[in-house]
Amino acid sequence: MRLEIKGLTKRFGAFTANDSIDLTIEPGEIHCLLGENGAGKSTLMNMLYGLLEPTEGQILVDGEPVTFTSPSDAIDSGIGMVHQHFMLVPVFTVAENVMLGRERTRGLGVLNRKQAADTVRELSTRYGLSVDPHALVEDLPVGVQQRVEILKALSHDAKVLILDEPTAVLTPQEIDELMEIMRELKRRGTSIIFITHKLREVKAVGDSITVIRRGKVVGTVSPQASEAELAEMMVGRAVRLVVDKEPAQVGADVLSVKNLTVVDPRGHQAVKDVSFEARGGEVLGIAGVQGNGQTELIKALMGLIRPDAGVVALDGEDISRHGAREALDAGIGYVPEDRSHDGFVGAFSVRENLVLDLYRSDDFSRGLGLKLDAMADNARSRIEEFDIRTEGPETPVRALSGGNQQKVVVAREFSRPLKVLIAAQPTRGVDVGSIEFIHKRIIHERDQGTAVIIVSTELDEIYALSDRIAVMYDGRIVGVVSPDIAREDIGLMMAGASDEAEVNP
Amino acid sequence: MTETIAHPPESAGPGNKPVPPAESSRGPVTWLPTLVETLAAIVIALVLGALLVALSDPDTVETLPYLFSYPADFFSAAFDAVWSSYSALVQGSVGSWNRISTTLERSAPLICAGLGVSLAFRAGLFNIGAQGQMAVGFLVAGFIGFTYDLPPGLHTLVALAGGILGGALWGGIAGFLKARTGAHEVITTIMLNYLAVSILLYALGKEAFQREGSDNRQSPPVADSATFGSVADTHLGVLLAFAAAVGVWWLLERSTIGFEMRAVGANPEASRTAGMNVAKVFTLAMVVAGALAGLAGTMQVLGDQASISPTLAGTIGFDAITVALLGRATPLGTVLAGLLFGALSVGGVAMQASAGTPKELAAVLQALIVLFVAAPALVRGLTRQRATGGGSTVMAKGWGG
Amino acid sequence: MKKTARIAAVAAIAALSLSACGERPSDEPADTGSASESPSESESSPAAEEIDFKACMVSDSGGFDDKSFNQTSHDGLEAAAQNLGVQTGEVESQSDSEYGDNISALVDEGCNSVTTVGFLLGDATLEAAKANPDVDFSIVDFAYDKAPKNLKGLVFNTGEPSFQAGYLAAAASETGTVGTFGGLNIPTVTAFMEGFRLGVEHYNEQEGGDVKVLGWDGKDGSFTDDFEDKTKGQQVAEQMIGQGADIIFPVAGPAGLGGLQAAKDNNVKGIWVDTDGCVSTEYCDVLLTSVMKGMDVAVEEAITSSVNEEFNSELFVGTLENGGVGLAEVSDDVDPAVVEKLDELEQQIIAGELKVG
């Protein structure tokens, strides 16, 4: 199926989200749609999927103009979409989720589960997507849940599959698996529109790349284009993909962790006897595949989980029994891993979120009363300083793009003197321009003498920022290495295949 | 996933510079759609109510069999029935200062209890317990009011403080249980309602709460010295209700405590991560909510020298939930909704008294208004408003905790 | 919008089918002017000629549909409309704090007499009577020590017929155990229970029986703490039946219906209160009799005296003698000798020879 978009425009009042976009998806092609968060990719896809009505322009399927007033029109025309946030019912099985909305019944309204399971099995063998049709979705890892979404689309005979930021939630391994699936789908003749802002992925899997900026197509290029070229097209200016940094001026141990053990609510030891030091003026990167204890480790450092054993000492004082309030007051800055869950209050304005953990300070309150003017001044200067793209200080943070939401969190945490900065996945789901900015600020903080701990599942990020790298596997630190170690070696350590290595640069 | 629909992405806006701060996002623009929706809901409810009035009016029904031969009979009968009912409703609720004053007095406890429910909503708690908190409030306030002999003014203050503290205690229990054990506040507040009613019945069975020489479950009236003073025939409890609304507004929007409550209500995880003590906030929110309901209960006895009886609270504690929902859990909205419900209640009596309209009609009107407010899509469909997006229901959070 | 259209269509069809057989009563001009004046009474045909008098009533928070004293009192108002041709007005209260407002709303409507129902309205009624000397007030189930001349209390000596009922229950019991329970421990309820208890005791003295009363000992007993919840009434009655009671005397309004249900389920007998249970309930076959409290009669009399300008503030006490209270017809299953004895008791009570409560 050949999908053409001609002069598609979408306006919200005076604001033009998509400005006469032209795009052609050839049959059996992986077409990457590259653009920063907020460039208009989602608006375009929502029109293509019948969720939004175009203001102007045409969509053509195999040369025939079509109008979609609802997703079911789009599905009938052979368009499938996997949203960034999955639309699955957690307590249903895979087969039930796949048949959801088009339940087949045997007489008397009895659901034909067997047929649904057969469909799932048939599709998963055909496309090499291994999924157990009877597993409950809530028990499945994120990567597999995504496969269920893909299966759901395929079961509707999708000829063009839209994948909206599919890699944002995946581990490096799962990303590799997804790319394999995409290639397999392509071999079977399914076209894919792959929306992302990660240059590496685009180059790895794309057949052609269309870059969108501020609602307009900047150009369509081949995957041979260099990352720097693509980044420049996306952002509209030359972007430095490597973080500029001087060698670290390493100071004294600021935070020292000894024999820390954390037991999660299910009684499983998530962090096992971990010891390390974070030193002033240095970035310690904690690498590891998601779910190997990093989350619990930093929550324990922040006083959000009570450790079972061990000592966390800040400037020699044990803070392992402190709560979050004390940890923050002691001078630890924290950028949580899941920003919308832990990092900000979506319904709150930018102004309010920028003081979410500072409102009790004398700067922003007097007695019980909040100093609204001080909060507003603070918001204006942070918005300026951190280049937060928002309508104004009163815009709710949930209305911002992911990158700008993260900038709000970062701006807040960086707006007071810190001894230690703990940043988990500081650039997950953040666009290239913002990544560059956030990285720069982290290094700036390091250069002020702050001890910085970065937790990331993205090796690129670990390499770009760290002065030392600790690798976590199965709740333990399996080695502390210098950043000049080869990618493959760290990969092996992350997979738990390496001997304990202690390399002190 | 379609947030871009309601909020066009900013970074695609003109220029790299941050857009100059637009004050408008807090201004009328954001709540205007909900105001229009609410008014539309009220109008639709009145229209349906008119239909019910017409069809329950015997004279109108009599004309039905020959509707097509003499349609004018039907319409004039129906019009007369509806006109007499609704004019009684308006006359009876705001037709004279005397009526307005009654409406204000009737609204005051609804507003206070509604504020309690609203405040708890904002902290992410679904407070079903206003009824019980009121009962404890008027039990304490009334007891102080008829038992002790204190100088006027002081007596009122002591009784008032007692009532508020009683309600605060009762609300606080639910908050404390939630904070300490995670017990869901919907369950605990319902149970505490039963408990409060039982305590009330028990107390009224004791000599100390009964009139001398009577075994009836009715206390003596509170002493003159304990009642609220009145200005222009309106007791000062009405002023207290408005003051409470301003206080709640200040607390929520201008204080650190309110900041915490709203943060915890919107995202408890992020609040905890930001160092807030979520358990403390839950407890405090329920204490304040209970205090407001306690104030509502206090008005029932100190307002016009009443006595305590098992059914003194009527259904105010439950109507308060509706008032809070209708007011979208904002202080101003709660005041307006409370006034509306007060007017419907007072006007409903006038409809019964002069037009013979059953009291259920006032209740049906209230229910219809809330129904249409809760189903904005339906109202939009009926009035053909364009979808404005950005729903504004306050319900969702309450059950989550 | 489609839905509205559909509703309209249904309504139109309904109207059409009605109109097919309908004919306008030609002799009666459409009198829409009085449409709102007396809505509830318009169906009753042989009504007395309308007179210029408005009789009004305020319920307590139970409402006029409480199948109990509000409803019975309201029957009195309707009877007055029927027999005297008075116009009526009424307000149902929702909360105890409304009583004053509701009474004045009716006074504002030009009511000539206002009847309030229940002791909870005692204060509000007294206040209204003082403020409106031109309006005659009466109140069901409440007596004042000193009432203004336009206020009349209507109370009922329900202990008298309950005494008879107790005697009847004791005589009819095969197990030697009878049970009673109330809605709340308040005088208007316990008067029945005490009379019942004394009646049983009287039987024991006279006939040398040893019949026990469950649920009331003269001071305290079994209460549902609720006049609405039939389940509670049923539970209490089931317990008593479990303890051997074979006659149940529930004094708990609609909640008492649960007691009769329990009696039916367990094949024992019951005695109803306030109204004739053979008329007002579906349990006639389990009833021995009913203790009737003539609130409707009293209310109608109060209105009549007001219409005739004979109103006085003297307390009305319904007794066996004046017919304000009484026993309903006794079931055929009861030994005629016992029925005779009941008549004898009535004479003794009227003569003041027996202490009934």
Side-chain angles (χ1 to χ4, degrees):
Chain A
M1 179 175 117
R2 184 188 158 95
L3 183 67
E4 279 175 278
I5 294 167
K6 280 193 180 156
L8 214 55
T9 299
K10 179 68 191 174
R11 290 192 197 92
F12 298 99
F15 173 77
T16 308
N18 278 177
D19 190 357
S20 74
I21 300 235
D22 294 319
L23 201 60
T24 306
I25 318 292
E26 301 290 345
E29 143 182 90
I30 299 182
H31 196 117
C32 299
L33 206 55
L34 194 63
E36 290 198 272
N37 283 324
K41 294 169 297 185
S42 297
T43 308
L44 180 60
M45 290 307 119
N46 283 332
M47 287 194 283
L48 212 47
Y49 197 55
L51 288 165
L52 283 177
E53 228 172 290
T55 317
E56 280 164 30
Q58 264 189 324
I59 301 169
L60 298 107
V61 170
D62 289 329
E64 293 291 316
V66 287
T67 10
F68 301 146
T69 52
S70 75
S72 56
D73 294 347
I75 291 169
D76 291 344
S77 298
I79 296 174
M81 183 155 174
V82 175
H83 297 272
Q84 194 173 349
H85 304 286
F86 305 148
M87 313 225 164
L88 297 172
V89 183
V91 295
F92 279 13
T93 65
V94 170
E96 284 166 341
N97 267 290
V98 169
M99 73 173 171
L100 200 68
R102 303 176 315 144
E103 297 85 354
R104 296 207 181 100
T105 52
R106 296 178 294 198
L108 297 172
V110 179
L111 288 176
N112 196 342
R113 288 200 171 74
K114 189 174 169 302
Q115 197 190 336
D118 290 345
T119 313
V120 171
R121 226 173 268 122
E122 192 261 323
L123 283 169
S124 55
T125 32
R126 188 163 10 131
Y127 294 100
L129 293 151
S130 66
V131 180
D132 172 11
H134 300 298
L136 287 184
V137 163
E138 63 186 349
D139 296 337
L140 298 175
V142 177
V144 182
Q145 292 190 15
Q146 192 171 53
R147 272 182 228 166
V148 178
E149 281 279 15
I150 296 174
L151 277 175
K152 217 167 119 181
L154 291 174
S155 76
H156 297 148
D157 300 319
K159 300 285 185 297
V160 176
L161 194 59
I162 304 169
L163 302 178
D164 187 5
E165 304 262 6
T167 58
V169 288
L170 301 183
T171 64
Q173 282 88 344
E174 285 173 332
I175 292 176
D176 289 345
E177 284 167 27
L178 175 67
M179 291 192 172
E180 209 36 63
I181 291 167
M182 286 165 70
R183 292 193 190 99
E184 181 61 34
L185 288 169
K186 176 176 133 183
R187 267 195 289 282
R188 302 268 166 191
T190 310
S191 320
I192 295 173
I193 303 178
F194 177 35
I195 302 174
T196 184
H197 53 252
K198 291 187 186 164
L199 306 173
R200 180 191 294 275
E201 293 166 4
V202 170
K203 285 176 63 69
V205 80
D207 293 318
S208 54
I209 303 166
T210 296
V211 182
I212 294 185
R213 186 172 79 235
R214 282 187 223 153
K216 285 187 182 147
V217 172
V218 182
T220 301
V221 294
S222 81
Q224 274 75 46
S226 75
E227 289 194 15
E229 276 175 73
L230 290 173
E232 190 172 341
M233 285 173 79
M234 260 169 82
V235 183
R237 61 181 161 87
V239 179
R240 298 219 29 107
L241 294 172
V242 184
V243 186
D244 283 321
K245 58 173 186 180
E246 303 293 317
Q249 303 292 315
V250 181
D253 287 358
V254 178
L255 188 77
S256 96
V257 177
K258 283 209 176 59
N259 309 106
L260 193 72
T261 297
V262 177
V263 177
D264 71 14
R266 280 173 297 178
H268 167 80
Q269 269 199 0
V271 177
K272 299 170 182 165
D273 196 23
V274 162
S275 301
F276 65 88
E277 284 83 37
R279 304 185 292 214
E282 183 199 53
V283 176
L284 173 68
I286 296 181
V289 176
Q290 180 86 51
N292 274 286
Q294 305 97 313
T295 309
E296 290 79 4
L297 171 63
I298 52 170
K299 285 201 167 173
L301 297 184
M302 282 312 298
L304 291 164
I305 316 180
R306 193 124 290 185
D308 228 46
V311 175
V312 179
L314 178 68
D315 285 338
E317 191 199 338
D318 184 6
I319 59 161
S320 60
R321 306 287 137 190
H322 283 183
R325 169 98 270 149
E326 291 91 340
L328 291 164
D329 287 348
I332 305 182
Y334 180 45
V335 179
E337 165 180 303
D338 184 343
R339 62 172 166 267
S340 54
H341 194 254
D342 300 319
F344 61 81
V345 176
F348 270 26
S349 64
V350 172
R351 171 178 60 84
E352 290 171 313
N353 269 296
L354 280 170
V355 296
L356 198 63
D357 55 8
L358 304 167
Y359 61 95
R360 277 195 186 276
S361 78
D362 290 342
D363 291 344
F364 301 116
S365 61
R366 187 188 303 114
L368 279 183
L370 289 169
K371 291 182 184 169
L372 292 192
D373 291 342
M375 283 168 69
D377 288 345
N378 174 65
R380 271 190 287 274
S381 61
R382 299 287 160 226
I383 289 171
E384 176 86 45
E385 183 186 352
F386 285 81
D387 190 24
I388 301 167
R389 309 277 174 82
T390 167
E391 258 178 63
E394 299 305 331
T395 308
V397 164
R398 66 161 160 244
L400 304 187
S401 69
N404 284 304
Q405 292 177 341
Q406 186 73 339
K407 281 185 190 170
V408 170
V409 177
V410 169
R412 178 181 72 220
E413 294 306 308
F414 285 22
S415 61
R416 61 200 167 99
L418 294 180
K419 286 182 186 159
V420 179
L421 169 69
I422 300 174
Q425 314 293 359
T427 58
R428 176 180 278 182
V430 170
D431 50 273
V432 177
S434 305
I435 290 176
E436 186 195 13
F437 183 83
I438 291 171
H439 281 175
K440 226 158 56 187
R441 296 296 306 211
I442 289 174
I443 294 303
H444 176 72
E445 196 64 38
R446 178 200 74 167
D447 293 342
Q448 308 277 307
T450 306
V452 179
I453 299 173
I454 300 293
V455 176
S456 181
T457 51
E458 304 228 13
L459 268 184
D460 287 344
E461 180 159 56
I462 292 284
Y463 271 108
L465 295 173
S466 308
D467 299 308
R468 274 191 307 151
I469 303 173
V471 184
M472 271 194 98
Y473 173 73
D474 191 26
R476 294 176 203 282
I477 290 190
V478 293
V480 180
V481 298
S482 128
D484 45 27
I485 185 174
R487 256 185 122 84
E488 293 72 45
D489 294 340
I490 283 212
L492 282 173
M493 289 170 79
M494 282 165 71
S498 139
D499 295 329
E500 190 134 332
E502 185 79 20
V503 185
N504 262 327
Chain B
M1 77 303 21
T2 54
E3 265 168 6
T4 40
I5 300 174
H7 308 282
E10 294 71 26
S11 55
N16 267 353
K17 282 255 166 201
V19 187
E23 296 299 330
S24 62
S25 56
R26 271 183 85 79
V29 182
T30 44
W31 53 267
L32 199 60
T34 64
L35 182 68
V36 171
E37 267 167 37
T38 308
L39 288 178
I42 292 171
V43 170
I44 295 174
L46 286 173
V47 169
L48 283 182
L51 209 65
L52 288 178
V53 170
L55 291 180
S56 65
D57 175 60
D59 289 330
T60 313
V61 172
E62 241 170 65
T63 67
L64 273 180
Y66 49 90
L67 174 67
F68 285 93
S69 341
Y70 300 96
D73 280 11
F74 169 78
F75 286 110
S76 84
F79 178 80
D80 280 339
V82 172
W83 175 254
S84 66
S85 286
Y86 280 178
S87 61
L89 181 68
V90 174
Q91 286 290 327
S93 53
V94 293
S96 66
W97 170 249
N98 174 286
R99 301 281 82 203
I100 292 175
S101 136
T102 308
T103 295
L104 287 174
E105 289 184 359
R106 190 72 57 84
S107 305
L110 275 172
I111 290 172
C112 288
L115 285 170
V117 178
S118 289
L119 183 112
F121 260 137
R122 297 292 286 275
L125 297 168
F126 200 2
N127 174 18
I128 310 283
Q131 190 79 10
Q133 293 148 18
M134 274 183 76
V136 175
F138 68 65
L139 194 62
V140 176
F143 183 75
I144 296 172
F146 60 71
T147 307
Y148 299 105
D149 193 16
L150 296 170
L154 179 67
H155 200 174
T156 311
L157 280 181
V158 173
L160 185 64
I164 292 173
L165 284 178
L169 170 79
W170 214 243
I173 293 173
F176 179 78
L177 288 174
K178 166 104 180 173
R180 265 303 149 88
T181 66
H184 201 291
E185 73 281 0
V186 168
I187 312 286
T188 52
T189 49
I190 290 177
M191 291 304 140
L192 285 166
N193 282 347
Y194 284 123
L195 196 55
V197 169
S198 302
I199 290 175
L200 183 61
L201 281 177
Y202 176 81
L204 287 174
K206 297 280 144 200
E207 289 289 322
F209 280 86
Q210 285 178 348
R211 297 180 177 206
E212 214 172 311
S214 157
D215 278 338
N216 277 331
R217 304 227 162 174
Q218 188 184 27
S219 78
V222 294
D224 247 340
S225 54
T227 50
F228 292 140
S230 65
V231 169
D233 273 345
T234 313
H235 69 67
L236 293 174
V238 174
L239 283 185
L240 281 180
F242 290 122
V246 173
V248 168
W249 171 82
W250 184 86
L251 189 73
L252 281 175
E253 304 295 334
R254 291 285 183 272
S255 79
T256 54
I257 295 172
F259 188 83
E260 287 175 349
M261 286 178 183
R262 289 183 294 124
V264 167
N267 186 344
E269 298 302 324
S271 308
R272 202 166 93 84
T273 306
M276 295 176 195
N277 186 339
V278 175
K280 202 176 95 187
V281 172
F282 279 152
T283 311
L284 192 64
M286 283 307 294
V287 166
V288 180
L292 287 162
L295 175 61
T298 307
M299 286 177 187
Q300 294 287 92
V301 281
L302 302 188
D304 53 19
Q305 219 187 357
S307 43
I308 306 173
S309 53
T311 40
L312 182 59
T315 56
I316 293 172
F318 298 113
D319 293 343
I321 299 168
T322 327
V323 164
L325 284 177
L326 188 61
R328 320 240 166 191
T330 64
L332 177 65
T334 305
V335 167
L336 293 177
L339 288 173
L340 175 69
F341 273 44
L344 281 175
S345 166
V346 174
V349 168
M351 279 202 295
Q352 288 181 68
S354 78
T357 316
K359 76 161 175 188
E360 282 74 16
L361 186 78
V364 166
L365 283 180
Q366 290 178 359
L368 284 174
I369 290 169
V370 172
L371 185 72
F372 288 121
V373 166
L378 183 61
V379 173
R380 270 190 233 114
L382 288 172
T383 59
R384 297 173 192 232
Q385 285 179 42
R386 253 186 61 81
T388 42
S392 46
T393 356
V394 288
M395 277 301 293
K397 201 71 200 170
W399 293 92
Chain C
M1 294 140 277
K2 282 180 209 154
K3 213 167 266 174
T4 10
R6 217 177 299 145
I7 291 167
V10 171
I13 289 166
L16 200 66
S17 53
L18 282 170
S19 73
C21 55
E23 190 104 321
R24 185 192 204 180
S26 51
D27 54 336
E28 184 194 295
D31 181 12
T32 46
S34 66
S36 53
E37 297 295 302
S38 56
S40 48
E41 278 73 47
S42 53
E43 310 115 56
S44 31
S45 33
E49 205 174 305
E50 271 196 19
I51 60 169
D52 184 22
F53 185 95
K54 191 161 184 176
C56 300
M57 183 173 276
V58 182
S59 79
D60 77 356
S61 53
F64 289 128
D65 51 357
D66 70 345
K67 295 207 173 76
S68 184
F69 70 133
N70 281 304
Q71 190 162 1
T72 315
S73 307
H74 190 250
D75 288 346
L77 180 71
E78 287 188 345
Q82 177 96 11
N83 300 332
L84 305 169
V86 299
Q87 292 147 41
T88 61
E90 59 192 56
V91 170
E92 297 187 82
S93 306
Q94 284 177 305
S95 137
D96 296 349
S97 57
E98 291 178 8
Y99 297 142
D101 293 341
N102 293 352
I103 294 172
S104 42
L106 284 173
V107 171
D108 289 351
E109 278 307 312
C111 297
N112 304 86
S113 91
V114 175
T115 307
T116 60
V117 187
F119 70 85
L120 288 173
L121 284 96
D123 294 345
T125 310
L126 179 61
E127 214 168 289
K130 283 177 184 161
N132 303 285
D134 298 340
V135 180
D136 291 334
F137 288 86
S138 50
I139 177 166
V140 174
D141 268 353
F142 196 76
Y144 296 94
D145 291 338
K146 199 172 160 288
K149 64 179 187 333
N150 62 331
L151 174 55
K152 189 180 186 73
L154 311 172
V155 296
F156 303 87
N157 203 342
T158 47
E160 293 181 359
S162 297
F163 187 94
Q164 292 175 285
Y167 187 93
L168 168 62
S173 172
E174 284 163 18
T175 59
T177 307
V178 298
T180 180
F181 64 90
L184 262 184
N185 189 350
I186 51 176
T188 45
V189 168
T190 54
F192 286 94
M193 299 165 81
E194 178 66 1
F196 184 77
R197 185 184 70 89
L198 293 172
V200 172
E201 263 180 16
H202 184 72
Y203 174 86
N204 288 344
E205 278 168 25
Q206 294 282 302
E207 311 290 328
D210 187 22
V211 180
K212 278 193 299 179
V213 180
L214 299 177
W216 180 249
D217 62 7
K219 272 184 164 171
D220 210 347
S222 299
F223 295 94
T224 51
D225 282 348
D226 192 313
F227 286 99
E228 301 294 325
D229 194 341
K230 295 191 179 78
T231 329
K232 283 187 187 161
Q234 193 162 357
Q235 280 166 0
V236 174
E238 290 279 359
Q239 272 174 18
M240 290 178 168
I241 293 165
Q243 290 170 45
D246 64 349
I247 315 276
I248 299 295
F249 182 53
V251 193
L257 289 172
L260 296 187
Q261 181 65 46
K264 188 174 187 164
D265 293 346
N266 292 282
N267 220 7
V268 301
K269 292 293 180 184
I271 297 173
W272 190 237
V273 290
D274 284 354
T275 55
D276 184 352
C278 274
V279 178
S280 58
T281 76
E282 58 197 283
Y283 297 103
C284 192
D285 46 338
V286 301
L287 292 178
L288 291 177
T289 184
S290 301
V291 173
M292 296 195 298
K293 181 173 169 185
M295 289 172 284
D296 45 353
V297 181
V299 168
E300 191 184 349
E301 263 176 34
I303 296 172
T304 310
S305 65
S306 182
V307 169
N308 298 336
E309 296 183 355
E310 292 160 356
F311 193 86
N312 62 48
S313 66
E314 200 183 307
L315 183 68
F316 170 87
V317 183
T319 59
L320 285 176
E321 188 172 13
N322 65 15
V325 293
L327 274 195
E329 199 176 328
V330 177
S331 157
D332 294 342
D333 302 346
V334 177
D335 183 353
V338 176
V339 181
E340 248 170 61
K341 180 72 186 166
L342 291 178
D343 290 339
E344 207 175 293
L345 283 177
E346 179 167 342
Q347 296 314 315
Q348 285 177 289
I349 293 169
I350 291 172
E353 293 163 16
L354 291 170
K355 185 183 171 293
V356 297

